[in-house]
Amino acid sequence: EESRISERHRNILYLVCDYLEHNGYIDVSDVLFREARLSPEHRVCDNIDLEIIVAEYENYYKMKFQKYPILCKKITGREMTREVTNASKTSIETKAKSVSKQARSEPVKETNLQQKITDDNTNHINLAMTVTSIFPNESDGRSSEELFNVPMEQSMQSKILKCIEKLYSDNPELRKIAEDVSCEIIVNKLNVYWDDVIGLEECKTAVKEAVVYPLKYHIFFGGPFSPWKGILLYGPPGTGKTKLAKAVATECHCTFFNINASSLVSKWRGDSEKYIRVLFELAYSHSPTIIFIDEIDWIATNKGDCILSEPAKRFRSELLSRLDGLVSNENSNVVLLATTNSPWGIDAALLRRLEKQIYVSLPNEVARLGIFKLYLSNHLLENTDIVNHIVKCTERYSCADIKLLCKQAWLLEISPIWRRLEKKETPVTTLKYELKSYEILAKLLKKMSP
């Protein structure tokens, strides 16, 4: 019961924060969010808010007592004076306690602190009111984020909400769509760096030249030599296209939209076009921005001579018009990065707007050896014949296929340990996560070979 009550109190704070944000009190909501130490990983469910709860309570009260409840009452002048006096006393006592602590640790500053409290507490004495600063340390040069020890992710979310409120303050429908789209913004680092992508040196260089360098050194991309606005990574599945995009998100230090089908496609008429419009407007307002769309062929598939439906035509037209807007100099810091396994299935008009196309090939021998070094023990790696045989047998394997092969070999290798553990024949010991059995690998390679 105590746990349930504690959870209810916490949920009320989330509801209050959500209500304040939706009504434009962004700064107040941020202060409450930080002071209550709410987690950014939680959000209020879509089917509930404070207004719904209050409305249901009013209906229940009306049905039970035949009248509506009075939620707020007007207090008399005597009660107001008493409450203001109590608040003033509480503020003075709190300030005095803090001063006494500082006086014990820093006796030199005692006179100045007492004088400061006297000045603060005598302010507006005719109104019997004490006025104190909300941020008592604001003169020390620290930002509000440092005062509250606000994580970078929380600060980014606050900026996103403020931007949405500024763009769509008079349109609640588009504001709701913008809030949904903003959930696709990557606010924390993905911790995937260029060195984590084994092999693909030519691809990494091409991606840096097409995406990273124009954002970092834009002075070289002016006049007729404008940077690429649409980049397509294509190649067999499992070759590392998405991992390259994650490395770009980590290394570029810019706003990164990770868009999927559920973010843009809606069953309601006209909503998909609105989602695309809001997506690009948010990207422009948060530039420099990278819009990443994985498996872009689901957006505009090449249907040949097939006649598209009316909603599909509107969706396609809105998308292409927004992509044309990317090409203008006004939006030079917004880049579309897309991946696909089958570029021949993409609509020709969309493919033309993806100007730079980079082929991500299967790993060569050096790259495959580098991947196996992550999984094989030193005992196997020191045997040149074993290494050459494994690398040769995985000639047509992708990076994902090699990872799957090693994972299956690991499960087969540790299965005897599991059986001994189930029978309590051996205690749990520290495992070294590496493959030691060449026989298991050879057996799997023979089984998986075409």
Side-chain angles (χ1 to χ4, degrees):
E1 182 67 15
E2 289 177 356
S3 176
R4 192 168 65 87
I5 292 173
S6 175
E7 184 179 1
R8 183 192 305 145
H9 291 168
R10 177 64 60 173
N11 290 339
I12 290 173
L13 293 174
Y14 281 111
L15 286 167
V16 172
C17 274
D18 184 75
Y19 180 80
L20 291 172
E21 289 177 1
H22 281 80
N23 286 272
Y25 304 103
I26 305 297
D27 294 334
V28 180
S29 174
D30 290 345
V31 172
L32 175 60
F33 195 92
R34 294 190 290 262
E35 190 170 344
R37 296 182 179 180
L38 301 180
S39 172
E41 298 178 358
H42 295 79
R43 60 179 295 184
V44 178
C45 296
D46 297 333
N47 60 340
I48 195 168
D49 56 28
L50 272 181
E51 293 184 0
I52 294 176
I53 293 174
V54 173
E56 290 181 352
Y57 173 73
E58 288 178 345
N59 293 334
Y60 164 77
Y61 197 95
K62 172 69 174 176
M63 184 174 59
K64 186 173 182 179
F65 302 103
Q66 306 304 316
K67 62 178 181 180
Y68 287 106
I70 300 175
L71 302 179
C72 300
K73 68 175 183 177
K74 188 175 182 179
I75 60 177
T76 61
R78 183 179 300 176
E79 291 175 334
M80 183 181 296
T81 304
R82 185 167 61 250
E83 289 185 4
V84 170
T85 304
N86 293 336
S88 177
K89 289 180 179 178
T90 303
S91 177
I92 293 173
E93 292 174 0
T94 305
K95 197 77 173 180
K97 289 180 181 178
S98 63
V99 170
S100 63
K101 290 181 180 179
Q102 294 181 10
R104 287 194 297 269
S105 60
E106 301 178 9
V108 180
K109 299 181 180 179
E110 180 178 358
T111 304
N112 295 334
L113 289 172
Q114 288 181 351
Q115 182 64 34
K116 186 177 185 303
I117 292 175
T118 304
D119 294 340
D120 288 344
N121 292 337
T122 55
N123 194 13
H124 299 292
I125 193 68
N126 295 330
L127 299 177
M129 185 179 298
T130 300
V131 180
T132 58
S133 175
I134 296 177
F135 306 112
N137 300 323
E138 60 185 355
S139 61
D140 61 2
R142 292 183 298 169
S143 64
S144 59
E145 293 181 12
E146 292 173 334
L147 288 170
F148 286 101
N149 194 21
V150 184
M152 184 179 63
E153 292 82 2
Q154 240 175 289
S155 175
M156 181 64 181
Q157 289 177 344
S158 176
K159 293 178 182 178
I160 293 170
L161 292 174
K162 289 180 181 179
C163 178
I164 292 174
E165 184 64 29
K166 181 179 178 181
L167 287 174
Y168 308 109
S169 57
D170 56 346
N171 194 327
E173 182 185 3
L174 291 183
R175 184 170 58 188
K176 178 64 172 63
I177 293 175
E179 290 171 356
D180 294 339
V181 173
S182 66
C183 296
E184 307 298 327
I185 299 178
I186 303 296
V187 297
N188 53 353
K189 283 191 175 182
L190 295 173
N191 293 324
V192 178
Y193 301 91
W194 296 120
D195 293 338
D196 297 329
V197 183
I198 299 175
L200 301 177
E201 299 302 328
E202 294 182 359
C203 293
K204 286 190 284 188
T205 302
V207 171
K208 289 178 183 179
E209 293 174 351
V211 183
V212 182
Y213 295 158
L215 292 175
K216 294 178 67 175
Y217 314 112
H218 54 84
I219 191 173
F220 296 102
F221 299 89
F225 304 105
S226 59
W228 308 106
K229 295 305 172 185
I231 296 96
L232 177 66
L233 303 178
Y234 69 97
T239 51
K241 298 184 292 297
T242 304
K243 197 163 188 177
L244 279 171
K246 290 180 179 180
V248 171
T250 303
E251 299 282 359
C252 277
H253 304 292
C254 60
T255 311
F256 192 85
F257 285 80
N258 184 22
I259 303 301
N260 50 46
S262 61
S263 305
L264 299 179
V265 178
S266 174
K267 64 180 180 179
W268 305 109
R269 181 184 179 90
D271 272 8
S272 296
E273 296 93 292
K274 293 177 183 176
Y275 272 90
I276 294 177
R277 169 191 166 186
V278 170
L279 168 64
F280 281 91
E281 287 178 352
L282 287 177
Y284 299 152
S285 61
H286 288 87
S287 63
T289 305
I290 295 175
I291 302 175
F292 174 63
I293 303 179
D294 200 5
E295 304 296 342
I296 196 173
D297 46 285
W298 57 260
I299 290 182
T301 304
N302 184 8
K303 295 293 184 180
D305 297 331
C306 298
I307 300 176
L308 296 176
S309 62
E310 188 63 28
K313 288 181 180 179
R314 292 199 308 271
F315 178 85
R316 179 176 173 274
S317 175
E318 181 69 21
L319 175 63
L320 296 180
S321 64
R322 293 292 170 177
L323 289 177
D324 282 335
L326 277 178
V327 182
S328 65
N329 293 328
E330 179 184 357
N331 306 310
S332 58
N333 284 333
V334 179
V335 179
L336 175 65
L337 178 62
T339 66
T340 183
N341 299 328
S342 52
W344 53 85
I346 300 177
D347 180 79
L350 175 60
L351 194 61
R352 181 183 65 81
R353 288 162 174 82
L354 298 172
E355 307 165 301
K356 180 67 174 178
Q357 298 171 10
I358 302 171
Y359 177 66
V360 184
S361 62
L362 292 172
N364 55 23
E365 290 187 1
V366 177
R368 294 199 299 275
L369 178 59
I371 297 173
F372 277 116
K373 286 182 179 180
L374 300 175
Y375 304 103
L376 300 184
S377 64
N378 292 331
H379 173 70
L380 292 181
L381 292 173
E382 291 172 356
N383 192 323
T384 308
D385 295 333
I386 291 178
V387 172
N388 291 337
H389 179 259
I390 293 175
V391 171
K392 184 179 180 180
C393 290
T394 55
E395 182 179 358
R396 298 183 181 180
Y397 280 52
S398 66
C399 303
D401 293 335
I402 295 175
K403 182 178 179 180
L404 178 62
L405 170 70
C406 295
K407 187 180 293 187
Q408 290 178 343
W410 170 253
L411 293 177
L412 292 174
E413 192 169 309
I414 64 173
S415 58
I417 303 177
W418 286 347
R419 288 193 289 268
R420 290 198 296 269
L421 288 174
E422 288 293 322
K423 296 178 181 179
K424 299 181 180 180
E425 295 177 356
T426 180
V428 179
T429 58
T430 303
L431 289 175
K432 198 170 183 180
Y433 298 101
E434 58 183 19
L435 296 174
K436 302 177 182 179
S437 175
Y438 168 69
E439 291 75 14
I440 294 177
L441 269 175
K443 184 178 179 181
L444 283 175
L445 285 171
K446 185 178 181 181
K447 183 179 180 181
M448 297 176 65
S449 60

